[in-house]
């Protein structure tokens, strides 16, 4: 696959275990490749709302304003928003 064909790379991060060095290394690698990134913060149903906000803010600060979607597959939180967001890249 050619780099030009990649519309967005989705990086899935577990909200309970972040940050892992592998997450940071992957982000650095994607930056070096100049690929567009969106972060999906998973399992937010397992932490408090204040913790979701704190982890999201950490992601924003460490990953330079990349798009971030805190989601829960159990509670379906933000799933539709993420779906709409990703569809914009598939259609364009």
């Amino acid at each position: 696959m050619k780099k030009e064909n990649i519309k967005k790379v989705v990086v899935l991060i577990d909200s309970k275990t972040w940050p892992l060095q592998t997450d940071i290394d992957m982000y650095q690698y994607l930056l070096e490749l100049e690929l567009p990134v969106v972060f999906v913060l998973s399992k937010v149903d397992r932490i408090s709302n204040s913790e979701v906000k704190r982890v999201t803010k950490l992601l924003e600060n460490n990953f330079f304003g990349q798009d971030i979607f805190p989601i829960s597959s159990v509670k379906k939180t933000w799933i539709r928003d993420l779906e709409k967001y990703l569809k914009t890249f598939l259609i364009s």
Side-chain angles (χ1 to χ4, degrees):
M1 175 173 280
K2 292 184 180 182
K3 182 173 112 173
E4 302 82 41
N5 295 335
I6 299 174
K7 305 274 185 172
K8 213 43 132 162
V9 176
V10 177
V11 177
L12 186 65
I13 296 178
D14 186 328
S15 63
K16 292 189 66 147
T17 61
W18 189 88
L20 296 176
Q21 187 59 47
T22 53
D23 298 326
I24 296 164
D25 293 344
M26 178 55 70
Y27 179 63
Q28 291 298 323
Y29 177 68
L30 294 170
L31 280 180
E32 289 172 17
L33 294 176
E34 299 178 355
L35 292 172
V37 178
V38 60
F39 288 95
V40 175
L41 186 60
S42 68
K43 302 178 186 174
V44 296
D45 55 287
R46 295 184 179 182
I47 60 177
S48 68
N49 285 340
S50 62
E51 188 67 6
V52 170
K53 289 177 185 175
R54 187 185 75 76
V55 174
T56 301
K57 185 56 99 180
L58 277 171
L59 280 173
E60 289 171 350
N61 292 337
N62 286 288
F63 296 129
F64 313 109
Q66 299 291 341
D67 295 320
I68 302 166
F69 287 87
I71 66 163
S72 166
S73 59
V74 173
K75 294 183 179 180
K76 308 297 184 216
T77 307
W78 288 83
I79 298 285
R80 287 271 192 238
D81 293 323
L82 177 60
E83 181 182 354
K84 287 178 191 174
Y85 174 85
L86 293 174
K87 279 183 180 179
T88 64
F89 296 99
L90 295 173
I91 294 170
S92 61

